[in-house]
Amino acid sequence: MPYLFPILQVLAAYCFLIVPTALHLSLNVLPFMFGIPLLAGLVNLIIVLKKGRSWSRQTMMNCTLIIKYGLIPFFLLGVLIALLSTLMAFLPLPLLPIFGLITVLLLASGGLFLFACAPYALSYLIKAYREGSHSLWGTILAGISQFVFVFDVISIMIYSIKDRHYRKTTIAVLSATCLIVLLTSYTIGLLLHLF
C-alpha cells in the first residue's frame, strides 16, 4: 500500500503530457496544468502526515526513489520543451513570443510537480536525522534542495548511496540519465549544425 500513491503520481505526471495534446492546447489546459500537481502534492502531504509516521525510513526512501527516479524522463522532456519554446520565442516572427509564455507555464507547472514530490523525501530526511543517520546541516541542505530542480534528485542519490540503499540502481539511473543528456545534446547540436 505505501508504494501505490508514488506510482500513481508518476503515472499522473506522464498523463499530464498526454492530456494537453488531446485538448489541442486550448485554454482548458491551464486548470489541468496547475490542478494535477497541486492535487498530487495535497494527496502526498495527507498520506505522509497520516500514514508516514508508521512507515519505516526505508519505506519512505523507496517511495522517494519511485517518484524521483520515475520522473527523471518527465523533467528531461519538460526541460527540452522549455528550451525549444524559449528559442522559438526569439525568432522574429509574429505570435512567436507566445512561446515565451509556454516556457513560463512549463516552469511554473514543473515547480508545482517538484513541490508535489517533496513530502516523501522530507519525511525520509526527518526520519533519517532522528535515527542519527545524517547530520543536521546535511538534512537541512537536502531538505532545501527538494525544492530546486536537479538538486532534489542529486541529494536523494547521494543519500541513497550513503545509506547503501539501492546503490546499484542509483548508479544505473545516474549513468542512464547522463547518457540520455549527452545523446540529446549531441542530436540537438547536430540538427543546429545542419540548419
Side-chain angles (χ1 to χ4, degrees):
M1 175 63 181
Y3 307 125
L4 176 65
F5 287 102
I7 291 169
L8 288 176
Q9 180 177 353
V10 171
L11 292 175
Y14 287 103
C15 288
F16 173 81
L17 294 174
I18 297 168
V19 173
T21 307
L23 293 175
H24 302 294
L25 295 176
S26 66
L27 292 178
N28 298 333
V29 172
L30 290 178
F32 180 78
M33 282 182 77
F34 297 106
I36 293 291
L38 285 173
L39 182 64
L42 185 62
V43 167
N44 285 342
L45 185 61
I46 290 169
I47 289 170
V48 166
L49 290 176
K50 287 195 169 197
K51 301 280 188 178
R53 293 180 185 169
S54 63
W55 293 341
S56 69
R57 176 171 61 106
Q58 295 298 84
T59 302
M60 297 310 287
M61 177 57 115
N62 290 341
C63 292
T64 303
L65 291 177
I66 289 169
I67 292 172
K68 296 294 184 183
Y69 292 172
L71 290 179
I72 287 175
F74 173 79
F75 281 112
L76 286 176
L77 184 61
V79 165
L80 182 63
I81 293 170
L83 285 173
L84 290 175
S85 64
T86 302
L87 289 174
M88 294 291 287
F90 288 111
L91 293 176
L93 297 172
L95 299 177
L96 284 182
I98 291 175
F99 285 105
L101 177 63
I102 291 172
T103 302
V104 170
L105 290 175
L106 285 173
L107 287 175
S109 182
L112 287 174
F113 267 112
L114 203 60
F115 284 113
C117 298
Y120 288 103
L122 293 175
S123 178
Y124 160 75
L125 291 169
I126 291 168
K127 283 179 182 286
Y129 170 71
R130 286 184 180 160
E131 293 175 10
S133 298
H134 305 304
S135 68
L136 175 64
W137 290 109
T139 301
I140 291 171
L141 186 61
I144 292 169
S145 71
Q146 295 309 304
F147 302 101
V148 181
F149 288 112
V150 179
F151 292 106
D152 62 326
V153 177
I154 291 172
S155 66
I156 292 300
M157 284 180 168
I158 290 170
Y159 276 102
S160 71
I161 290 173
K162 185 178 177 185
D163 284 351
R164 297 176 186 203
H165 189 78
Y166 294 116
R167 183 179 279 183
K168 290 179 183 176
T169 304
T170 299
I171 293 170
V173 167
L174 180 61
S175 301
T177 303
C178 290
L179 184 63
I180 290 169
V181 168
L182 285 173
L183 288 174
T184 304
S185 60
Y186 175 75
T187 305
I188 290 172
L190 188 62
L191 289 173
L192 289 174
H193 187 267
L194 290 175
F195 292 110

